[in-house]
């Protein structure tokens, strides 16, 4: 038999409601015997009731019925109860073991790869010590490689640091130092060029590219290895430069060259060209001139394509800026930038008589539109004294059909490689001599085009003409270059203004007649009069 309901229900019929007769117990249990700590079996005698006694006790009771397996079910064993109680704990242990196995696999993969960009460096440990660990304790779906917190999370992930310890900086640092010690057992060495080339080809963003190179150059052997893989390094740079701002790549290239120089390792001309071009794009022209000097020291000159790219960047750097545009290089420190551009064009610096490397030396080795762009930049700066001395340069760079060069056709193949400096005097040409009449016509076209482009690009160009020092000159190239530098300083605010809507036609014959005069003072006076006539409106 089975009793229905709880143990509190009586197993005897319900008595009628009590009467008003009060029953007073003579003997009551003292309160001292009611103890909560003493079990009942200690105060009362226990016995075991047989099944027959229980059945007789439940007989004729409405609260007891026979046991039915279909209704009451089968009692579960104690082992099933224990399994049900341990099941949540088992799931959590299995999840923890899975995460632990995954972290171990990531750590082994990173430690076994010499050229993994996720190897831990001292800088990473320092960033964790100084940063906020709460930003990297959670995982993410699509990490941004340009965000510092996401990069730090990737470092922790690929080094097998568990997520549950990422909320404590001291614990993270302890893990990172241990992972760093294990990964330092394998270091890049000379002879791993093929592995480094494959690692560079597999990169698809600049932060990982930077981490890889920075980790490799920490040792002298790594510096030599990077120097040996300069070709792959330049290819990766050209691919990543399409989507990476030059302001991010320039500090990286500067640090790379400094590290290689500290070890006395030669730097390829291709790497120097990348640093030079990036400096131009950032508007750091003084640094670009230093890299240009190092290219010349390696006995190399820029080719036609590289010269054209450099001159276009310089010409765009002098483009007029809007008041709300803060990205134009000339927006900050205009005078310094203009002087640096002039120094790149001519190799002259204020107060110095030393000739520095310049684009003029490379322009003289090629004919075509490069010289026209060079003259246009000088005309934009108002360096007419320098242009007068260039007119008297007996060189074939003004020849070779200026009209075809004006259309973008050059006589030299655009290979895009830095060529070796030709032996002999810089600027020597191997082309056939051109008659003086044809050379003068080409010069006149180039100078007229440059001056006309300068007038059209600057609405305040006419303010340069009536200045009293416009025709001041000495006839000596060095002194006249210094006078041009002083003129650039005085007219810096005029050079960087907006474009001119008026169209002025500069005649080739007039320019040829002006620059062919005997003295520079006569030429400048004639040029001043001519420009005042064509540039200043008649109604003014």
């Amino acid at each position: 038999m089975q009793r229905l309901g709880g143990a509190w229900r009586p197993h005897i019929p319900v008595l009628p409601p009590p009467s008003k007769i009060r029953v007073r117990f003579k003997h009551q249990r003292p309160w001292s015997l009611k103890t909560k700590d003493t079990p009942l079996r200690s105060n009362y005698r226990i016995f075991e009731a047989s099944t027959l006694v229980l059945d007789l006790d439940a007989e004729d009771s409405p609260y007891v019925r026979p046991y039915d397996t279909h209704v009451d079910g089968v009692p579960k064993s104690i082992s099933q109860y224990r399994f049900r109680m341990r099941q949540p704990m088992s799931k959590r242990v299995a999840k923890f073991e899975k995460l632990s196995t995954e972290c171990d696999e990531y750590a082994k993969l990173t430690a076994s790869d010499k050229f993994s960009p996720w190897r831990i460096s001292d800088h990473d440990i320092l960033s964790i010590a100084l940063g906020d660990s709460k930003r990297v304790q959670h995982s993410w779906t699509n990490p941004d490689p340009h965000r510092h917190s996401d990069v730090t999370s990737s470092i922790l992930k690929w080094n097998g640091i568990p997520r549950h310890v990422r909320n404590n900086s001291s614990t993270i640092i302890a893990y990172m130092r241990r992972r760093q010690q294990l990964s330092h057992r394998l270091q890049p060495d000379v002879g791993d060029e093929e592995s480094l080339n494959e690692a560079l080809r597999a990169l698809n963003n600049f932060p990982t590219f930077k981490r890889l190179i920075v980790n490799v150059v920490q040792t002298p052997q790594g510096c030599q290895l990077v120097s040996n893989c300069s070709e792959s390094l330049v290819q990766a740079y050209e691919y990543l430069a399409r989507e990476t701002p030059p302001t991010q790549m320039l500090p990286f290239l500067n640090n790379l060259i400094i590290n290689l120089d500290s070890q006395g390792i030669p730097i390829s001309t291709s790497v120097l060209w990348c640093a030079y071009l990036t400096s131009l794009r950032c508007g750091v022209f003084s640094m670009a001139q230093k890299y240009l000097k190092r290219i010349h020291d390696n006995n190399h000159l820029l080719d036609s394509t590289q010269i054209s790219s450099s001159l276009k960047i310089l010409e765009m750097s002098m483009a007029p800026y809007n008041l709300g545009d803060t990205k134009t290089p000339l927006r900050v420190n205009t005078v310094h930038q203009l002087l640096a551009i002039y120094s790149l064009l001519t190799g002259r610096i204020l107060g110095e008589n030393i000739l520095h490397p310049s684009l003029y030396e490379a322009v003289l080795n090629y004919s075509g539109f490069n010289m026209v762009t060079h003259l246009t930049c000088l005309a934009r700066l108002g360096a007419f004294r320098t242009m007068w001395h260039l007119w008297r340069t007996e060189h074939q760079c003004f020849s070779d059909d200026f009209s075809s060069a004006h259309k973008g056709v050059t006589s030299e193949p655009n290979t895009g490689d830095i060529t070796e400096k030709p032996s002999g005097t810089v600027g020597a040409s191997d082309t056939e001599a051109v008659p003086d009449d044809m050379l003068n016509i080409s010069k006149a076209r180039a100078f007229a085009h440059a001056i006309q482009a300068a007038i059209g690009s600057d609405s305040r160009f006419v303010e340069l003409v009536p200045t009293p020092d416009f025709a001041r000159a000495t006839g000596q190239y060095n002194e006249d270059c210094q006078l041009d530098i002083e003129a650039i300083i005085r007219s810096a605010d005029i050079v960087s203004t907006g474009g001119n809507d008026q169209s002025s036609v500069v005649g080739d014959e007039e320019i040829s007649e002006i620059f062919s005069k005997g003295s520079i003072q006569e030429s400048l006076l004639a040029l001043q009069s001519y420009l005042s006539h064509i540039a200043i409106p008649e109604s003014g």
Side-chain angles (χ1 to χ4, degrees):
M1 304 296 289
Q2 183 179 9
R3 190 183 303 277
L4 299 179
W8 60 273
R9 290 182 178 273
H11 60 280
I12 58 176
V14 180
L15 298 176
S19 61
K20 296 181 180 180
I21 301 175
R22 295 183 178 182
V23 179
R24 181 175 297 177
F25 294 94
K26 185 177 181 180
H27 300 286
Q28 295 183 358
R29 177 177 294 182
W31 292 102
S32 60
L33 295 178
K34 295 182 179 180
T35 58
K36 297 181 179 179
D37 298 333
T38 305
L40 296 178
R41 66 174 61 92
S42 300
N43 298 329
Y44 300 94
R45 296 172 61 183
I46 60 176
F47 64 93
E48 293 183 3
S50 63
T51 306
L52 178 60
V53 175
L54 295 177
D55 292 341
L56 292 176
D57 181 64
E59 189 175 1
D60 298 332
S61 175
Y63 301 100
V64 180
R65 61 171 174 77
Y67 172 73
D68 187 359
T69 57
H70 298 286
V71 177
D72 303 319
V74 179
K76 296 182 179 180
S77 62
I78 190 63
S79 60
Q80 293 180 346
Y81 173 76
R82 291 176 180 176
F83 174 77
R84 185 172 65 252
M85 295 296 293
R86 294 177 180 177
Q87 188 175 7
M89 180 179 61
S90 301
K91 289 184 178 180
R92 187 169 182 179
V93 171
K95 182 179 179 181
F96 178 80
E97 291 178 351
K98 180 181 178 181
L99 293 176
S100 178
T101 304
E102 181 181 355
C103 291
D104 291 341
E105 292 177 355
Y106 278 124
K108 292 178 181 178
L109 182 63
T110 304
S112 60
D113 188 4
K114 295 181 180 180
F115 302 102
S116 174
W118 305 115
R119 284 195 161 199
I120 297 177
S121 62
D122 295 337
H123 178 268
D124 299 329
I125 298 178
L126 182 62
S127 64
I128 291 294
L130 300 179
D132 186 6
S133 60
K134 295 182 180 180
R135 297 182 179 180
V136 297
Q137 61 179 336
H138 302 291
S139 60
W140 67 96
T141 304
N142 296 318
D144 185 2
H146 299 279
R147 188 183 303 169
H148 181 265
S149 59
D150 289 353
V151 172
T152 305
S153 299
S154 298
I155 296 171
L156 300 181
K157 171 186 175 182
W158 284 98
N159 284 274
I161 298 178
R163 294 173 185 158
H164 65 275
V165 302
R166 299 184 185 179
N167 57 352
N168 191 342
S169 299
S170 60
T171 308
I172 296 177
I173 293 174
Y175 271 91
M176 294 179 69
R177 294 192 62 182
R178 179 56 181 169
R179 301 301 193 209
Q180 186 183 32
Q181 293 175 359
L182 294 177
S183 62
H184 280 182
R185 295 177 180 179
L186 289 177
Q187 290 290 345
D189 199 355
V190 179
D192 297 333
E193 286 80 3
E194 187 62 28
S195 300
L196 180 57
N197 292 335
E198 293 179 1
L200 290 174
R201 287 192 292 267
L203 299 176
N204 56 2
N205 58 73
F206 177 71
T208 54
F209 168 76
K210 178 182 178 181
R211 286 189 57 85
L212 173 59
I213 300 301
V214 170
N215 290 338
V216 172
V217 298
Q218 297 301 318
T219 60
Q221 296 81 2
C223 292
Q224 184 63 47
L225 182 62
V226 171
S227 179
N228 297 339
C229 299
S230 299
E231 183 178 354
S232 299
L233 180 66
V234 173
Q235 292 177 358
Y237 162 83
E238 294 176 351
Y239 172 76
L240 298 175
R242 304 170 185 173
E243 300 179 355
T244 306
T247 53
Q248 296 183 10
M249 306 195 74
L250 182 59
F252 162 74
L253 292 174
N254 291 338
N255 294 333
L256 175 61
I257 293 175
I258 291 174
N259 287 331
L260 296 181
D261 286 338
S262 63
Q263 300 295 333
I265 298 175
I267 304 174
S268 66
T269 310
S270 301
V271 176
L272 294 175
W273 157 252
C274 294
Y276 163 77
L277 184 62
T278 308
S279 301
L280 287 181
R281 291 173 176 173
C282 293
V284 189
F285 303 115
S286 57
M287 184 177 296
Q289 190 170 21
K290 294 180 180 179
Y291 286 127
L292 182 62
K293 180 179 183 301
R294 297 195 61 171
I295 293 176
H296 287 192
D297 293 342
N298 288 352
N299 199 26
H300 285 80
L301 285 178
L302 304 183
D303 64 5
S304 179
T305 304
Q306 293 168 337
I307 296 172
S308 178
S309 301
S310 303
L311 292 175
K312 287 181 180 178
I313 294 176
L314 293 180
E315 188 177 10
M316 292 300 297
S317 299
M318 292 186 292
Y321 62 85
N322 299 323
L323 294 178
D325 187 10
T326 58
K327 297 182 180 180
T328 306
L330 292 183
R331 190 77 174 102
V332 180
N333 201 355
T334 306
V335 176
H336 176 73
Q337 296 290 80
L338 293 177
L339 292 180
I341 292 175
Y342 180 80
S343 179
L344 264 176
L345 294 173
T346 62
R348 299 294 176 175
I349 298 179
L350 178 63
E352 296 184 9
N353 293 326
I354 302 176
L355 181 62
H356 296 270
S358 63
L359 293 175
Y360 177 67
E361 301 176 1
V363 168
L364 290 179
N365 291 277
Y366 298 95
S367 57
F369 195 64
N370 287 333
M371 178 56 75
V372 181
T373 311
H374 186 271
L375 292 173
T376 303
C377 293
L378 291 176
R380 283 292 313 275
L381 295 172
F384 297 108
R385 302 170 184 83
T386 306
M387 295 179 65
W388 184 86
H389 287 280
L390 292 180
W391 177 273
R392 276 148 181 77
T393 302
E394 298 296 335
H395 200 274
Q396 307 299 325
C397 59
F398 294 99
S399 63
D400 209 10
D401 287 334
F402 168 74
S403 60
S404 63
H406 178 66
K407 297 177 182 178
V409 180
T410 57
S411 60
E412 297 293 336
N414 295 332
T415 59
D417 299 329
I418 296 180
T419 58
E420 293 186 1
K421 185 183 297 184
S423 59
T425 305
V426 175
S429 177
D430 297 332
T431 59
E432 296 181 359
V434 180
D436 294 340
D437 295 341
M438 296 296 297
L439 186 60
N440 290 334
I441 293 176
S442 299
K443 284 184 180 181
R445 290 178 179 177
F447 277 67
H449 176 81
I451 297 175
Q452 183 173 345
I455 296 175
S457 60
D458 194 347
S459 60
R460 299 178 60 187
F461 184 83
V462 294
E463 298 181 17
L464 297 174
V465 179
T467 57
D469 296 333
F470 185 87
R472 179 187 172 189
T474 62
Q476 301 295 326
Y477 181 67
N478 294 335
E479 287 76 5
D480 289 338
C481 287
Q482 295 297 323
L483 292 177
D484 279 337
I485 291 175
E486 296 176 3
I488 292 173
I489 295 174
R490 291 191 299 268
S491 60
D493 59 332
I494 300 177
V495 173
S496 57
T497 52
N500 190 2
D501 297 334
Q502 296 181 356
S503 58
S504 301
V505 180
V506 180
D508 300 347
E509 297 180 357
E510 291 80 356
I511 293 298
S512 178
E513 181 180 356
I514 290 172
F515 282 92
S516 298
K517 294 184 178 297
S519 64
I520 185 174
Q521 287 83 3
E522 295 178 0
S523 297
L524 292 179
L525 288 174
L527 180 63
Q528 185 179 23
S529 176
Y530 179 70
L531 293 179
S532 301
H533 176 70
I534 66 172
I536 300 178
E538 295 180 359
S539 60

